[in-house]
Amino acid sequence: MTRQLAPLALGGHRVWPPVVLAPMAGVTNQPFRSLCREFGPGLVYVNEMIMATGLVHGSRKTRTMLHFGPDESFRSLQLYGSDPEMMTRAVHLLGREEAVDHIDINFGCPAPKVTRRGGGAAVPLKRNLLRAIVSGAVEAGAQYGIPITCKFRMGIDDDLLTFVDTGLICEESGAAAIALHARTATQHYAPSARWEAIAELKQAVKSIPVLGNGDIWEAADALRMVEETGCDGVVIGRGCLGRPWLFRDLVDAFSGTSPRVTPPLGEVLDVMLRHADALCAHLGEDRGIRDFRKHTSWYLTGYPVGGEMRRRFSEVSSLEQLAQLAGMLDRSLVIVDGGERIARGHTNGPIKVVLPEGYLDHLDDMTVPDDAAVVALSGG
Ligand SMILES: Cc1cc2nc3c(=O)[nH]c(=O)nc-3n(C[C@H](O)[C@H](O)[C@H](O)COP(=O)(O)O)c2cc1C
């Protein structure tokens, strides 16, 4: 029997079960979120990461990423930025335009390009800078009723663990909740997430919800994470890639309903085609179908369709061709044993995380990292 969880409070909004779709750059755009929401209405689905500087400077590309559908009554967005002033201005801008209902801040980006300049996962090392970013965003958000949450990793590596301090600083600065991706930046996406860090953070941070993130592939993993760590809710990343019905399974699991079997390939293909249609309507067919190629491999993961078919899907160039390819597959195929747990999306790690020269000698300073290099990166 799983511990009964309280709804997640984000401002005046209550979310139950406390399940959040993780922001994933290049993935969690409006068509993907809407599809996930069909399976799990009422949960939090976070938009792709958006650059605070891009927003403030009126970048067209950033603007086009700020897109919510009519079904999105609770609009959630992740902001990236390492400059307190830019972040505060971006929150004001979003608030004045009544563009969002919740903002998450990304402090976990491990990309070498970013950390080399002191941005992303390097920011939590500079506690004063971190505090200034979070408290500025919280103060600005409060003027418009926008709650601010923060998502971060365990630290740079095992010698530079920052997550407990980061959690405490976010709590003191007025964040509504925090989420820990239980890996260091050096781990990148491998090896496994270290849920014991979530438990440690939960012990330390008493007054705001602590959400756990990392390696929830099936609904049972979420229940286990809650049991093992005491966390107040879960954040779902790669587990839902090609498997948006994971959100239905999570609602079932937290409601005490027995798990459903993973759908046969036919049902998966029907969802895949709907997703492709929606993405092409959103981005235009040419761009949409190219962007969709990665999704085909995620939808087919675990189904024994053969390497040649996978390759053909990965080169698909129109919606019509996608439907033709789907029509060639045996709809009765079932997923292989353990197929749900095959890692998708990013899988590599560890990586070498580079900090600016002398960065660790001046951890109290407030030098603002240059965010220019982070544009078009895949965030977390
Ligand atoms: C394709 C991809 C893009 C991501 N982009 C972001 C991002 O923009 N912001 C962020 O905070 N995390 C990002 N992440 C990290 C996820 O939000 C999540 O923390 C990570 O995948 C661990 O959870 P998981 O093990 O459930 O996948 C990304 C992950 C993937 C796979």
Side-chain angles (χ1 to χ4, degrees):
M1 179 66 196
T2 311
R3 184 167 56 87
Q4 193 57 44
L5 288 178
L8 172 65
L10 292 175
H13 192 74
R14 296 282 174 281
V15 185
W16 199 91
V19 173
V20 176
L21 164 68
M24 286 183 277
V27 177
T28 61
N29 47 25
Q30 181 263 318
F32 185 73
R33 295 194 306 275
S34 289
L35 187 65
C36 294
R37 182 176 288 101
E38 277 181 32
F39 290 98
L43 309 179
V44 178
Y45 296 96
V46 186
N47 190 17
E48 300 174 87
M49 167 179 98
I50 283 188
M51 293 286 298
T53 44
L55 208 55
V56 169
H57 293 310
S59 146
R60 257 217 348 238
K61 179 161 181 255
T62 307
R63 273 278 159 192
T64 57
M65 290 170 75
L66 183 61
H67 180 78
F68 294 94
D71 59 326
E72 301 194 78
S73 54
F74 187 71
R75 298 156 304 166
S76 207
L77 170 92
Q78 189 183 54
L79 267 186
Y80 175 93
S82 320
D83 177 347
E85 192 198 325
M86 279 295 160
M87 289 295 271
T88 302
R89 284 173 65 185
V91 175
H92 275 297
L93 189 148
L94 292 166
R96 273 196 306 272
E97 292 188 7
E98 299 182 11
V100 294
D101 301 295
H102 157 226
I103 295 173
D104 183 59
I105 306 182
N106 178 353
F107 291 118
C109 182
K113 261 196 206 172
V114 176
T115 55
R116 185 176 291 131
R117 291 167 193 248
V123 170
L125 281 166
K126 302 231 169 183
R127 301 158 53 121
N128 294 335
L129 182 63
L130 175 73
R131 195 183 308 272
I133 294 172
V134 180
S135 55
V138 167
E139 263 171 50
Q143 295 185 30
Y144 311 93
I146 300 175
I148 305 290
T149 60
C150 303
K151 180 168 175 286
F152 48 90
R153 286 180 179 246
M154 290 169 64
I156 297 294
D157 58 28
D158 284 359
D159 295 326
L160 291 170
L161 292 175
T162 44
F163 63 100
V164 172
D165 274 356
T166 302
L168 292 171
I169 289 171
C170 293
E171 180 184 36
E172 284 158 22
S173 306
I178 51 176
L180 178 65
H181 175 187
R183 290 188 176 88
T184 61
T186 298
Q187 272 185 270
H188 208 232
Y189 287 88
S192 305
R194 292 142 75 182
W195 290 1
E196 60 279 11
I198 301 170
E200 193 181 336
L201 185 63
K202 174 62 192 165
Q203 284 296 315
V205 174
K206 303 283 187 206
S207 71
I208 54 172
V210 173
L211 309 180
N213 172 232
D215 287 347
I216 294 177
W217 301 102
E218 296 178 89
D221 296 330
L223 299 187
R224 200 164 47 83
M225 180 188 275
V226 167
E227 273 312 289
E228 288 179 13
T229 69
C231 66
D232 302 295
V234 295
V235 178
I236 307 297
R238 297 163 298 163
C240 68
L241 299 179
R243 302 185 67 239
W245 46 87
L246 178 57
F247 292 101
R248 178 193 61 201
D249 294 352
L250 286 158
V251 173
D252 285 352
F254 280 112
S255 310
T257 307
S258 311
R260 304 185 203 200
V261 290
T262 297
L265 184 60
E267 282 176 40
V268 173
L269 293 172
D270 293 343
V271 172
M272 180 180 87
L273 292 176
R274 275 203 297 123
H275 183 182
D277 271 342
L279 190 63
C280 288
H282 179 61
L283 294 177
E285 183 166 353
D286 201 35
R287 205 174 132 214
I289 201 72
R290 272 185 283 122
D291 194 53
F292 196 72
R293 289 172 178 165
K294 60 186 182 237
H295 291 279
T296 66
S297 102
W298 298 335
Y299 279 109
L300 297 176
T301 295
Y303 291 89
V305 298
E308 174 56 15
M309 276 313 270
R310 272 177 221 288
R311 188 191 60 73
R312 291 175 71 180
F313 272 94
S314 74
E315 293 171 356
V316 67
S317 56
S318 69
L319 283 171
E320 195 189 338
Q321 192 192 7
L322 184 70
Q324 272 168 5
L325 286 173
M328 291 162 69
L329 294 176
D330 174 359
R331 291 176 61 84
S332 68
L333 280 181
V334 293
I335 197 161
V336 297
D337 256 1
E340 297 87 350
R341 311 189 71 77
I342 300 174
R344 282 147 277 145
H346 301 322
T347 53
N348 67 318
I351 59 167
K352 187 167 164 48
V353 175
V354 186
L355 296 172
E357 208 167 307
Y359 193 75
L360 298 175
D361 301 338
H362 306 284
L363 291 182
D364 289 335
D365 85 359
M366 295 274 289
T367 311
V368 171
D370 175 1
D371 275 341
V374 82
V375 179
L377 279 176
S378 61

